Amino acid sequence: MSGRRRALITGITGQDGSYLADLLTDKGYEVFGTVRRSSSENSERINHLHGRVQLLQADLLDQASLTMALQESRPHEVYNLGAQSFVPTSWSQPVLTAEFTGVGVTRLLEAIRTVDPGIRFYQASSSEMFGKVREVPQTELTPFYPRSPYGVAKAYGHFITVNYRESYGLYAASGILFNHESPRRGLEFVTRKISDAVARIKLGLATELRLGNMDAERDWGFAGDYVEAMWLMLQQPEPSDYVIATGETHSVREFVDLAFAHAGLDPERHVVTDPAFLRPAEVDQLIGDSSRARAELGWVPRTSFTELVEMMVDADLARLASAARV
Ligand code: NAP
Ligand code: G4F
């Protein structure tokens, strides 16, 4: 073992895991990440970190694999970002979502208790727990009213984190993060679906974009800014829970309008509403109040909504144009 600080990230192959790995390697950490066994490689988001992060096979469904990953990496900090994170899938696979996204948190906390209760633990909680919101804007004290099996599973993960902190004195912190996006966002999430479609239409590779509820409103930030808040939460003298948000809300329609305008396109000519993308229960509007994080962590979001939309469209245009050249 080197004398450097060590961190273990579950979900390192995901959007946030890859940005967090960038941040921690830049800070000089020895970074370990868990990956699931798969018949084909799924490391696109972390290929640029080859040789700078160490990958260990573990699954949030498998207690022994989590314990072994901790024994092998002996981390000072664990960031639990692994989850079934796509809300619509949580209606078609509710039990699996509860196992990954909910009970998986307990498995990891139990592994920490067994291997080293001094480990600092970060749980990726979600604004989706606020669901049918009880107050506007949402703070650390706003009651939860989840509207999807995913939101319910995240509420379990949140409370088990608080409970292990209070029951066993673990350093366990929960970040209640509002939606955060980037060019590394999965293509099924609405922001990336839009930026990818805009780029395809601009390059003549597609003609239409089919969307569900265009009136839904989200507090969208940039994932690169949000992983910094995760790290800051584990550097505090005492563990606590923090809302991380921009404090602005925008509709899906506004995202569409900005993205199409940035590419010089008219959304009226391309966007089609498709009931197939409506949800059994919708979260109509989310807007977070991150005053506590700003005051105690010194965290501020640095990327504006317009910058985020344009960054995503530009990245998809560059990616698809270069693929077309090849
Ligand atoms: P993401 O891109 O979907 O990544 C999810 C990661 O979890 C992937 O690396 C995935 O691995 C891994 N994973 C899935 N099932 C697993 C299992 N059984 N065992 C171990 N790992 C598993 O999600 P993200 O956007 O980076 O989000 C990171 C975390 O923050 C998630 O917990 C998400 O629910 C939460 N969150 C996200 C947002 C947001 O707006 N992005 C907001 C609030 C909270 P594979 O690559 O093998 O599938
Ligand atoms: O991009 P979305 O799929 O994200 P959603 O459901 O807000 O969840 C994301 O943020 C949560 C934090 O609040 C995370 F915890 C979660 O893991 C995930 O990262 O959908 C955003 C909105 C929804 O209201 C949806 O109904 O966009 C609306 N929407 C409209 N048309 C669509 C579409 N969403 C998707 N995915 N695809 C559509 O065609």
Side-chain angles (χ1 to χ4, degrees):
M1 290 276 149
S2 74
R4 290 149 69 196
R5 277 193 82 72
R6 292 181 295 279
L8 176 74
I9 305 171
T10 72
I12 195 167
T13 54
Q15 171 189 256
D16 291 6
S18 66
Y19 280 107
L20 182 63
D22 288 344
L23 180 88
L24 296 178
T25 50
D26 285 351
K27 287 188 182 295
Y29 278 67
E30 199 174 340
V31 176
F32 298 82
T34 67
V35 290
R36 300 190 282 172
R37 147 80 194 142
S38 162
S39 64
S40 58
E41 276 238 326
N42 175 27
S43 54
E44 195 184 316
R45 295 185 179 106
I46 51 169
N47 281 342
H48 62 286
L49 288 170
H50 186 71
R52 296 174 65 204
V53 296
Q54 298 176 58
L55 302 181
L56 304 169
Q57 279 207 0
D59 196 304
L60 287 165
L61 295 183
D62 189 283
Q63 183 75 53
S65 70
L66 297 172
T67 304
M68 278 190 288
L70 292 177
Q71 283 166 339
E72 281 178 47
S73 55
R74 302 301 298 193
H76 301 95
E77 299 169 13
V78 168
Y79 295 86
N80 184 33
L81 311 186
Q84 190 303 94
S85 77
F86 189 48
V87 171
T89 297
S90 77
W91 277 286
S92 55
Q93 300 189 335
V95 176
L96 192 65
T97 301
E99 286 285 356
F100 283 15
T101 307
V103 185
V105 186
T106 314
R107 291 194 189 95
L108 191 48
L109 286 164
E110 277 298 301
I112 287 174
R113 270 186 0 105
T114 307
V115 175
D116 176 5
I119 289 171
R120 293 188 168 207
F121 175 76
Y122 172 86
Q123 167 57 16
S125 286
S126 165
S127 53
E128 184 73 12
M129 300 186 301
F130 296 122
K132 190 170 179 179
V133 298
R134 304 286 88 190
E135 64 179 347
V136 180
Q138 294 84 52
T139 74
E140 292 80 6
L141 299 176
T142 303
F144 299 151
Y145 192 141
R147 293 273 279 170
S148 62
Y150 167 83
V152 173
K154 278 287 175 189
Y156 172 88
H158 174 81
F159 281 126
I160 202 71
T161 300
V162 174
N163 181 262
Y164 270 50
R165 178 167 79 219
E166 294 176 356
S167 301
Y168 303 115
L170 295 188
Y171 189 112
S174 171
I176 306 174
L177 271 54
F178 282 62
N179 298 50
H180 45 279
E181 318 294 316
S182 73
R184 297 184 200 170
R185 185 58 140 157
L187 285 163
E188 67 276 36
F189 297 91
V190 76
T191 55
R192 185 75 197 289
K193 185 174 170 181
I194 296 166
S195 64
D196 178 70
V198 164
R200 282 178 193 279
I201 293 167
K202 182 73 184 175
L203 297 173
L205 303 170
T207 53
E208 72 170 20
L209 165 62
R210 303 186 84 81
L211 290 173
N213 178 12
M214 303 254 292
D215 297 320
E217 294 178 4
R218 290 292 183 275
D219 180 331
W220 277 299
F222 171 51
D225 295 344
Y226 284 40
V227 296
E228 203 179 339
M230 298 177 187
W231 175 76
L232 284 167
M233 276 182 229
L234 294 199
Q235 313 312 312
Q236 303 309 304
E238 296 297 330
S240 192
D241 310 320
Y242 294 92
V243 160
I244 301 297
T246 69
E248 276 181 35
T249 193
H250 298 275
S251 65
V252 172
R253 195 180 309 282
E254 281 175 80
F255 197 107
V256 164
D257 288 346
L258 261 178
F260 276 79
H262 185 57
L265 295 169
D266 177 5
E268 297 289 323
R269 297 186 52 211
H270 304 285
V271 179
V272 179
T273 305
D274 184 341
F277 295 106
L278 298 178
R279 299 176 179 188
E282 178 62 287
V283 173
D284 295 321
Q285 189 205 51
L286 290 172
I287 177 164
D289 175 353
S290 57
S291 306
R292 180 157 188 237
R294 291 173 197 235
E296 293 181 16
L297 307 179
W299 177 82
V300 279
R302 285 193 290 261
T303 311
S304 72
F305 178 66
T306 304
E307 286 167 342
L308 175 66
V309 176
E310 295 182 353
M311 174 205 304
M312 292 179 70
V313 171
D314 288 342
D316 275 322
L317 277 168
R319 176 180 62 87
L320 290 167
S322 114
R325 275 196 297 277
V326 170

